[in-house]
Amino acid sequence: MNVPAKVELIGDSLLAVSSNRTPAVGIIRKNGEQVGNIASGDFPIGAFMPTSYNISDYPIVYIIDRRSQSVLVFNVVSQEFIEKIRLDLPEDKIIRTIGAEFKKTKEGFLVELYDQKYDAYLPDFYRNSGDLLYFFDSNGKFQKSIKEYPEEYKAMDGSLSPTNYLKMSDNNQTILLSFPHSKKLHRYTNKGEELEQLDLPPSRVFDYQLKAADRIIDFKAIMAGEKQSAKTPDNHYFNSLYEDEKSIYIETWMKIGEGGIEKTRFAHLMVYNKEEEKWYETQNPKGILDIGMLAGVANDTLYFYEGSMMKYDDKYIKRAILKPIEE
């Protein structure tokens, strides 16, 4: 699938991939063979718009569907649709269109929502959207919410690039959250109780400074083709946040310089060693078309998926092993 929205390693042999272009979730082996696919229109329930998925109970796949504001449950091996769970969304809240954070919990579901009253280009979107993560029980009934945008975002007077700055990882026991420009990681229980905060490290290449446009940008003007109104700074952000028993891995996305995507978009890794309680980062950023998105770690091997819009027929699963640099 092209333009991956989310990639995730299943065990040590399979990857789940969703796309910003294709309304589907695919399951592929590490050798590239596709073994399963859940696509809109292939089931009696009709079309759906998967904004994220969860594979913690594989082969059961949970898909958060923006079209019906529901959780759709499938068995990807038997290609069976199991059930549709309608979410009791709070007033004025909707599911993020692309890349919503989403988790299956023991009690139900955790879903990223945003306030539909505000254009994401407007400062009020960050100041007044309220909480972003919402807990629902297994029947879709709303339980509680947590986590507003930090002050770094609320303080901006100009328009920000409408990027999903929130990134979430879970290790089944807890939830790890970050807004990169706040320079913090926040750990919560699966019931939304905050446990700890972890400072993010200084970086040689990642820019923590949040930058806004020098004015308010009108989304209607952008849609009308007034390109001069559409310039917002390209903030660095986190592309993937992954945690296992030994480490926390953050893959970054950075625009460095001017020019096409092949020469200006880079990624690198920041890694926290839990035993040493110390951060490390990779020395040389890689082009995002060369490395792809971090899917997970198995047996000290990092797995990445590259399926960009630049290479419609070329998709790659890549492996890497981190080694210390000899001084």
Side-chain angles (χ1 to χ4, degrees):
M1 278 189 266
N2 298 113
V3 198
K6 180 179 180 180
V7 296
E8 192 167 349
L9 192 65
I10 305 171
D12 61 359
S13 61
L14 300 174
L15 278 82
V17 182
S18 65
S19 168
N20 289 338
R21 291 173 56 94
T22 306
V25 176
I27 309 296
I28 55 179
R29 298 191 193 279
K30 290 191 298 188
N31 63 7
E33 175 191 1
Q34 182 164 305
V35 297
N37 192 53
I38 300 172
S40 175
D42 287 355
F43 296 85
I45 58 170
F48 53 86
M49 184 185 297
T51 185
S52 190
Y53 65 84
N54 183 274
I55 42 83
S56 57
D57 295 335
Y58 184 82
I60 303 302
V61 178
Y62 302 92
I63 290 178
I64 185 74
D65 174 32
R66 188 178 188 278
R67 183 186 294 267
S68 66
Q69 306 291 306
S70 304
V71 175
L72 308 178
V73 187
F74 300 84
N75 185 314
V76 68
V77 172
S78 64
Q79 286 291 289
E80 175 188 5
F81 169 68
I82 298 174
E83 66 173 324
K84 175 180 178 179
I85 303 168
R86 178 82 178 184
L87 297 179
D88 177 25
L89 299 185
E91 185 178 1
D92 293 325
K93 298 295 181 179
I94 57 175
I95 297 168
R96 179 176 285 276
T97 305
I98 296 174
E101 299 298 342
F102 173 54
K103 172 182 169 65
K104 173 70 174 68
T105 69
K106 183 178 180 180
E107 291 78 18
F109 307 98
L110 174 60
V111 184
E112 181 187 4
L113 306 178
Y114 69 89
D115 200 311
Q116 62 182 335
K117 295 194 301 292
Y118 302 105
D119 182 336
Y121 278 97
L122 302 180
D124 279 347
F125 177 81
Y126 301 93
R127 296 170 184 164
N128 301 327
S129 285
D131 288 336
L132 300 175
L133 292 171
Y134 289 74
F135 291 82
F136 299 87
D137 67 16
S138 57
N139 295 315
K141 185 177 180 181
F142 170 65
Q143 301 294 301
K144 65 177 293 185
S145 61
I146 61 172
K147 207 61 182 168
E148 294 187 7
Y149 280 102
E151 289 302 318
E152 289 81 2
Y153 298 80
K154 294 179 180 181
M156 295 293 104
D157 291 324
S159 293
L160 292 170
S161 178
T163 297
N164 186 3
Y165 294 105
L166 174 63
K167 193 56 60 178
M168 181 175 80
S169 174
D170 74 89
N171 60 3
N172 294 325
Q173 304 302 316
T174 61
I175 302 163
L176 201 60
L177 302 173
S178 180
F179 291 93
H181 306 95
S182 68
K183 302 182 183 179
K184 297 280 187 182
L185 288 177
H186 300 262
R187 187 180 302 281
Y188 288 81
T189 69
N190 282 322
K191 294 184 178 180
E193 300 157 342
E194 187 164 14
L195 296 173
E196 65 173 346
Q197 295 184 17
L198 184 64
D199 290 330
L200 291 169
S203 173
R204 295 186 304 272
V205 291
F206 186 85
D207 187 358
Y208 287 106
Q209 181 64 46
L210 185 65
K211 303 179 182 70
D214 58 3
R215 56 176 169 161
I216 301 299
I217 290 175
D218 188 337
F219 181 71
K220 293 181 180 178
I222 295 172
M223 296 303 293
E226 298 177 24
K227 295 182 180 180
Q228 68 275 12
S229 301
K231 183 62 176 176
T232 56
D234 290 296
N235 287 302
H236 293 185
Y237 63 89
F238 294 161
N239 202 27
S240 301
L241 175 60
Y242 178 82
E243 181 178 19
D244 61 16
E245 293 181 357
K246 297 180 180 179
S247 303
I248 297 170
Y249 302 85
I250 297 174
E251 184 185 18
T252 64
W253 188 100
M254 303 170 289
K255 184 177 185 296
I256 302 174
E258 298 295 330
I261 188 172
E262 306 94 331
K263 297 181 179 180
T264 63
R265 271 65 166 188
F266 295 92
H268 88 317
L269 295 175
M270 295 190 286
V271 182
Y272 182 72
N273 184 301
K274 294 181 180 179
E275 182 177 356
E276 298 177 2
E277 297 184 346
K278 186 176 180 180
W279 283 98
Y280 298 87
E281 69 175 343
T282 53
Q283 188 174 51
N284 299 313
K286 302 289 185 182
I288 61 171
L289 301 185
D290 296 322
I291 190 171
M293 292 181 66
L294 177 65
V297 182
N299 302 320
D300 294 325
T301 300
L302 283 66
Y303 289 87
F304 299 84
Y305 178 87
E306 203 295 299
S308 70
M309 70 171 67
M310 302 292 293
K311 304 174 182 178
Y312 291 108
D313 297 323
D314 297 329
K315 304 171 187 65
Y316 304 93
I317 296 171
K318 301 184 179 184
R319 297 180 293 177
I321 297 177
L322 296 177
K323 294 182 179 180
I325 296 174
E326 297 291 340
E327 296 291 345

